[in-house]
């Protein structure tokens, strides 16, 4: 007697091979058998005629490590079939953290989520314990952020690390890996991570290598210096002898459109030379970050309060502006404003005045009767230096599709799990959080026919599973975990946009996590069957 039989499903097994029709039996949390099960019995039988069954989608690149402590149901992801996520991305992981970082996080937690008990943790081990205590609907894999590690040891000091500081940071990386992290991530346009030179990062990534670490990088530049930034990531991986995952690959700014040809050629050359490199991408032409990322790294030295002080000083503010609009950049840094402009930077979360959400910086300048640059400064000042979330329209459609079609590409939403109700329903989320996977499966595979739906499934299942060492997930095969998504191939798609992003997709019928039904039609069942997948449970290099 099986727990579940799904009959007559068209199986897209995750390999990219042609789909086929068969029955699938599940026992507990595991796929038990695939074939003709017409004579078999089960506690529950589902007729899936006309529907496709795929492995649960795996979002290798999310920023959900903090949000799942608030709402572990993560509706935005699970409702589009995402059953496993990678967290701790772009150098900013939830752990480790020192006393000051914990206090600041607790303060923000209380402001954003009143009535919910703030989590208490310092180490990665303690963070995992907190996640498991609160429960989560998805499986979670964790990278330790180089920016968080540097913040623990050096705060927002822009100086190179001395020998003692470097040893302290390496110790934190080793502790994180022993606690279950699978690698080191960097976000090299963000402070304090941006202050680290290549040699410093190599030493930290080397510390992860004996544990099979994977280096995942939001590279140091995605516009004018994108090739040089990719080169740095490849150098770090080669020097540390670890695989490289480049985050949300793109050519950013209208002046860079078409550069994807050179980017992909360089990555292909790296593969031929023996470097293990892959990349992820979200299927939208707008990126997202905090508004303060448009400002030069030196303006952030000392942290948020110092940034606000500098913006309030007319002379320093003018100097910052000169660096932002400098067409030649400063010391290899170029503002994300270049090739985008204030009219294409939209505010999506501004706690000080939510009526401004959905408006561009240029529009807000008009409302306030000031220049867009001054409006940018005023937004950051009124928020006290805390995050003002933005989306900015910076990516060319042809570049996006060219990158998407490449066999090294995996789907990654680069988003925090959220919902359209409850404590995480704040501001206007980027639509990638609600629709990256279904948009690739529906719009780009089915409608645009850039590749088959079977290949789309491979990019979001077995490819990231193999990358992260998830040996028992990513395929519809006997013996694999029963992370599964049942969808309608004719209707599946995203419906959210930048004005109304928090809309659940269409065409997702059912989602199981470790054999537990978690999404049933338009309803989240409330199940929290997800697991923290520690490095020790995965199959990574030794």
């Amino acid at each position: 007697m099986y727990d579940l039989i799904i009959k007559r499903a068209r199986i897209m097994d995750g390999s990219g091979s042609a789909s086929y029709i068969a029955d699938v039996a599940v026992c507990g949390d595991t796929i038990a058998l695939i074939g003709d099960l017409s004579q078999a019995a089960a506690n529950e039988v589902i007729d899936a005629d006309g529907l496709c069954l795929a492995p649960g989608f795996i979002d290798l690149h999310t920023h959900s490590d903090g949000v799942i402590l608030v709402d572990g149901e993560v509706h935005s992801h699970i409702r589009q079939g995402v059953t496993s996520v990678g967290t701790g991305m772009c150098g900013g992981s939830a752990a480790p953290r020192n006393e000051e970082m914990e206090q600041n996080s607790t303060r923000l937690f209380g402001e954003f989520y009143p009535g919910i008990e703030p989590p208490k943790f310092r180490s990665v081990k303690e963070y995992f314990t907190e996640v498991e205590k609160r429960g989560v609907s998805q499986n979670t894999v964790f990278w330790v952020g180089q920016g968080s590690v540097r913040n623990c040891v050096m705060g927002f000091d822009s100086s190179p690390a001395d020998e003692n500081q470097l040893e302290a940071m390496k110790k934190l990386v080793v502790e994180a890996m022993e606690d279950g992290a699978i690698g080191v991530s960097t976000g090299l346009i963000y402070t304090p991570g941006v202050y680290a030179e290549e040699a410093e990062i190599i030493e930290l990534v080397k510390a992860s290598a004996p544990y099979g670490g994977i280096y995942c990088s939001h590279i140091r530049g995605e516009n004018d210096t994108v090739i040089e930034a990719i080169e740095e990531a490849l150098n770090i991986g080669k020097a540390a002898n670890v695989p490289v995952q480049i985050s949300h690959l793109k050519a950013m700014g209208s002046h860079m459109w078409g550069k994807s040809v050179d980017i992909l050629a360089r990555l292909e050359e790296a593969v031929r030379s023996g470097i293990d490199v892959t990349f992820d991408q979200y299927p939208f032409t707008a990126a997202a970050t905090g508004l303060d990322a448009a400002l030069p790294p030196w303006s952030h030295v000392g942290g948020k309060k110092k940034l606000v002080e500098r913006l309030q000083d007319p002379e320093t503010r003018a100097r910052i502006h000169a660096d932002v609009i400098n067409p030649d950049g400063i010391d290899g840094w170029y503002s994300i404003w270049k090739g985008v402009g204030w009219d294409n930077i939209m505010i999506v979360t501004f706690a000080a005045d939510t009526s401004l959400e959905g408006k561009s910086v240029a529009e807000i300048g008009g409302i306030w009767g000031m220049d867009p640059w001054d409006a940018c400064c005023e937004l950051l000042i009124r928020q006290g230096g805390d995050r003002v979330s933005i989306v900015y329209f910076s990516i060319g459609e042809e570049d996006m599709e060219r990158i998407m079609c490449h066999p090294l590409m995996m789907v990654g939403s680069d988003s925090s799990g959220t919902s359209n109700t409850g404590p995480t329903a704040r501001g206007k989320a980027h639509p990638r959080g609600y629709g990256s996977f279904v948009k690739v499966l529906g719009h780009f595979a089915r409608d645009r026919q850039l590749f088959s739906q079977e290949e789309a499934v491979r990019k979001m299942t077995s490819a990231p599973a193999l990358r992260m060492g998830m040996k028992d997930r990513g395929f519809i095969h006997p013996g694999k975990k029963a992370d599964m998504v049942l969808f309608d191939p004719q209707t599946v798609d995203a419906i959210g946009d930048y004005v109304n992003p928090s809309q659940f997709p269409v065409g997702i019928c059912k989602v199981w996590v470790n054999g537990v039904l978690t999404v049933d039609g338009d309803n989240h069942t409330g199940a929290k069957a997800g697991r923290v997948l520690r490095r020790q449970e995965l199959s990574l290099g030794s």
Side-chain angles (χ1 to χ4, degrees), residues 16 26 82 152 163 210 216 234 246 249 269 292 294 302 333 350 353 356 366 384 402 439 458 471 485 508 511 524 529:
V26 174
V82 175
C152 277
E163 185 176 344
C216 187
L234 297 174
I246 295 178
L249 188 65
E269 179 187 351
D292 60 346
W333 175 88
F350 184 56
D353 185 353
L356 298 177
R402 184 178 294 117
K439 187 173 184 180
R458 185 195 68 81
K471 57 188 175 183
V485 54
I508 298 294
V511 181
H524 192 303

Side-chain angles (χ1 to χ4, degrees), residues 459-517:
K459 289 175 177 291
M460 54 184 71
T461 57
S462 68
L466 293 170
R467 190 44 148 178
M468 294 191 286
M470 301 169 71
K471 57 188 175 183
D472 53 1
R473 302 176 198 273
F475 294 92
I476 299 290
H477 290 169
K480 302 293 186 182
K481 295 299 183 186
D483 293 346
M484 305 180 297
V485 54
L486 188 67
F487 65 92
D488 185 337
Q490 300 304 316
T491 64
V492 65
D493 214 338
I495 59 175
D497 55 29
Y498 297 103
V499 177
N500 295 297
S502 301
Q503 300 186 68
F504 296 117
V506 294
I508 298 294
C509 304
K510 294 180 185 291
V511 181
W512 292 266
V513 181
N514 294 308
V516 177
L517 183 65

